[in-house]
């Protein structure tokens, strides 16, 4: 199980393929919960009690326990004719959650992660997705093996890559982003089909990985709408 906090986020999961076990809520949202499935257990508790089980400094109006899905295998054939994100060692929960939320905004349905990427069911990650985790498939795997058999173009984000704004992406591929401090590992870099970069105009040393992911997704969307 993992926890989801806040009525709005809980509704997102209730309307998806996820299975909610129990919702703990304050009296303020009791009437709203009547619109959800009667198969979901719910318990009204005080705000003080909610604060004791919440992972937030300021608890939301409801907390749900949700069953983790079983998705251990990445089906590379299902990634054809579209773009997916690949994360190599992203560690910060906030970054991870923001990347998932951004992917959802731009219609990217799959994110494939290295086995040492932060746990997607970490409460901070779930909170940062604002419900988008209910619509984005996140899978952990051995990236080297996956990329090798996926048979898809790999666009790796590197400082010395080609300008992302003039890159021809075609109609499918994997957009690879690396760890916040170390970037993409050398053995994974060796599998990149085309290195791309977001041109630096100012003096900043690097770009936050979640921001880089957003720019990549936006550029893919721009190519789609042309």
């Amino acid at each position: 199980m993992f926890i989801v906090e806040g009525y709005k986020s809980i509704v997102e999961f209730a309307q998806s393929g996820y299975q909610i076990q129990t919702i703990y809520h304050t009296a303020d949202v009791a009437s709203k919960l009547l619109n959800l499935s009667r198969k979901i257990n719910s318990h009204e508790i005080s705000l003080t009690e909610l604060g004791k089980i919440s992972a937030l400094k300021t608890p939301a109006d409801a907390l749900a326990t949700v069953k983790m899905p079983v998705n251990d295998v990445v089906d590379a054939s299902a990634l054809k004719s579209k773009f997916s994100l690949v994360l190599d060692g992203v560690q910060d929960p906030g970054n991870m959650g923001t990347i998932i939320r951004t992917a959802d905004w731009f219609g990217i349905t799959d994110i494939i992660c290295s086995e040492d990427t932060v746990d997607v069911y970490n409460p901070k990650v779930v909170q940062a997705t604002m419900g988008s985790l209910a619509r984005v498939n996140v899978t952990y795997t051995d990236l080297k093996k996956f990329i090798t058999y996926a048979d898809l173009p790999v666009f790796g984000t590197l400082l010395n890559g080609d300008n992302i704004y003039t890159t021809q992406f075609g109609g499918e591929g994997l957009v690879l982003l690396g760890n916040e401090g170390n970037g993409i590992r050398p053995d994974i870099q060796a599998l990149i089909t085309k290195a791309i970069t977001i041109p630096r105009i100012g003096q900043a040393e690097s770009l936050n990985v979640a921001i880089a992911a957003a720019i990549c997704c936006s550029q893919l969307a721009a190519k789609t709408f042309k």
Side-chain angles (χ1 to χ4, degrees), residues 37-53:
S37 172
R38 294 184 180 275
K39 295 180 180 179
I40 300 174
N41 297 319
S42 63
H43 297 282
E44 185 175 314
I45 61 178
S46 70
L47 187 60
T48 300
E49 290 171 322
L50 192 58
K52 291 180 179 180
I53 61 174

Side-chain angles (χ1 to χ4, degrees), residues 2-209:
F2 65 100
I3 62 172
V4 177
E5 302 200 49
Y7 170 75
K8 289 184 178 179
S9 291
I10 291 171
V11 169
E12 299 278 12
F13 283 90
Q15 295 175 343
S16 72
Y18 281 84
Q19 181 182 336
I20 295 180
Q21 183 193 49
T22 307
I23 299 175
Y24 302 92
H25 62 90
T26 60
D28 294 341
V29 295
S31 60
K32 296 180 182 179
L33 293 174
L34 294 175
N35 297 324
L36 301 181
S37 172
R38 294 184 180 275
K39 295 180 180 179
I40 300 174
N41 297 319
S42 63
H43 297 282
E44 185 175 314
I45 61 178
S46 70
L47 187 60
T48 300
E49 290 171 322
L50 192 58
K52 291 180 179 180
I53 61 174
S54 173
L56 305 174
K57 289 182 179 179
T58 303
D61 47 15
L63 179 150
T65 54
V66 184
K67 188 175 182 179
M68 293 181 184
V70 178
N71 55 347
D72 296 330
V73 180
V74 183
D75 182 4
S77 64
L79 305 180
K80 298 287 186 179
S81 302
K82 63 181 182 178
F83 289 94
S84 304
L85 298 183
V86 178
L87 307 181
D88 182 21
V90 170
Q91 295 295 305
D92 182 78
N95 284 339
M96 183 67 172
T98 301
I99 290 171
I100 293 169
R101 188 178 178 187
T102 300
D104 184 29
W105 177 268
F106 286 103
I108 291 178
T109 57
D110 292 272
I111 299 177
I112 299 91
C113 305
S114 63
E115 294 166 324
D116 62 342
T117 293
V118 62
D119 183 4
V120 71
Y121 300 115
N122 176 312
K124 292 181 179 179
V125 175
V126 176
Q127 190 67 25
T129 71
M130 297 297 289
S132 287
L133 179 58
R135 288 178 294 273
V136 178
N137 303 315
V138 182
T139 312
Y140 292 78
T141 190
D142 181 322
L143 285 190
K144 194 169 184 179
K145 290 181 180 179
F146 162 69
I147 292 173
T148 300
Y149 76 72
D151 190 30
L152 285 165
V154 180
F155 299 93
T157 52
L158 301 173
L159 287 174
N160 59 349
D162 292 338
N163 187 331
I164 189 174
Y165 301 117
T166 57
T167 297
Q168 298 300 315
F169 285 95
E172 63 180 8
L174 306 172
V175 178
L176 175 62
L177 299 116
N179 172 268
E180 290 90 343
N182 302 314
I184 302 168
R185 276 173 275 221
D187 58 333
I188 304 299
Q189 282 190 34
L191 303 174
I192 292 173
T193 308
K194 188 174 188 62
I196 57 174
T197 193
I198 300 164
R200 177 172 55 185
I201 299 172
Q203 299 299 314
E205 181 183 1
S206 61
L207 196 60
N208 174 274
V209 66

